[in-house]
Amino acid sequence: MLALVLAFVSPLCALSSALFSARVVHHILLVAVAAPLIASILPRRRSGSAIIAFVVSTVVLWAWHLPMAYDAALSHVGVYWLMQVTLLGSAIWFWREVFAPERSAVEAISLTVAAFAQMGMLGAILTFAPQSLYAAHFMAPYAWGLTPLQDQQLGGLLMWVPAGIPYAVLAVSLARRNWIALRAGNVK
């Protein structure tokens, strides 16, 4: 709940309208903090296709970072909430598949690493883009002492490096869960 409050009620939400880098923090809170926490309290009884969940959540994340889709979301309230719901919903689906009880630790950790890798790749593309991609952040970054390109590069770096922290924590917790099951002799 705290992650959702930070994303939607705190000053971060308003700041993310002005700065792309703040929007990146907002999205990281949704897909890498709130979604796995929600998924952990809504576990799957049987695992489904983790690959399909991974592909869908990846496509959703990348699609919303296409300039036309991103700018549409920041210029229309309905599209904005569609972006939030699809990002969070697809991420919850993905994490529920990762946390499925019969999923092997190797597969769960591999999926977690793959999820971070695709986010990191998107972050790298945004960091090294030769120009600012988002019209929605064309003027506001100047008020914060940044050019639109610098704001985008900062956002890309946040996706590329610090976003790895929640994924690393999740991978370690998955490994620990498997280690405890191994010691108890409960590994399937």
Side-chain angles (χ1 to χ4, degrees):
M1 216 36 142
L2 181 59
L4 292 175
V5 168
L6 281 171
F8 292 112
V9 182
S10 77
L12 174 64
C13 190
L15 184 60
S16 67
S17 294
L19 296 175
F20 177 76
S21 52
R23 175 67 54 199
V24 167
V25 172
H26 184 266
H27 288 170
I28 292 168
L29 281 171
L30 289 181
V31 302
V33 179
L37 290 172
I38 293 168
S40 71
I41 62 170
L42 299 171
R44 299 215 34 122
R45 295 186 197 280
R46 291 178 301 159
S47 64
S49 175
I51 298 301
I52 292 173
F54 169 75
V55 169
V56 169
S57 65
T58 298
V59 167
V60 167
L61 180 69
W62 282 66
W64 282 117
H65 285 85
L66 293 171
M68 196 164 92
Y70 182 89
D71 288 337
L74 266 62
S75 64
H76 188 277
V77 172
V79 180
Y80 170 83
W81 283 107
L82 180 64
M83 175 173 68
Q84 304 312 313
V85 168
T86 56
L87 283 169
L88 183 60
S90 64
I92 291 170
W93 177 28
F94 169 73
W95 289 113
R96 286 184 75 201
E97 292 299 338
V98 169
F99 297 153
E102 66 274 1
R103 181 128 2 254
S104 76
V106 171
E107 187 179 7
I109 292 169
S110 297
L111 287 162
T112 302
V113 169
F116 171 63
Q118 64 83 20
M119 181 182 280
M121 189 181 322
L122 178 57
I125 290 168
L126 294 169
T127 300
F128 293 113
Q131 63 189 25
S132 175
L133 300 174
Y134 304 111
H137 300 293
F138 183 69
M139 293 300 294
Y142 290 109
W144 297 89
L146 298 168
T147 66
L149 182 59
Q150 289 170 330
D151 179 37
Q152 178 180 298
Q153 290 169 333
L154 176 59
L157 284 172
L158 290 168
M159 288 177 99
W160 196 8
V161 183
I165 294 169
Y167 289 95
V169 168
L170 290 164
V172 167
S173 71
L174 288 165
R176 184 175 183 275
R177 179 182 80 179
N178 191 62
W179 178 253
I180 290 168
L182 271 173
R183 290 191 67 194
N186 296 333
V187 175
K188 297 176 184 173

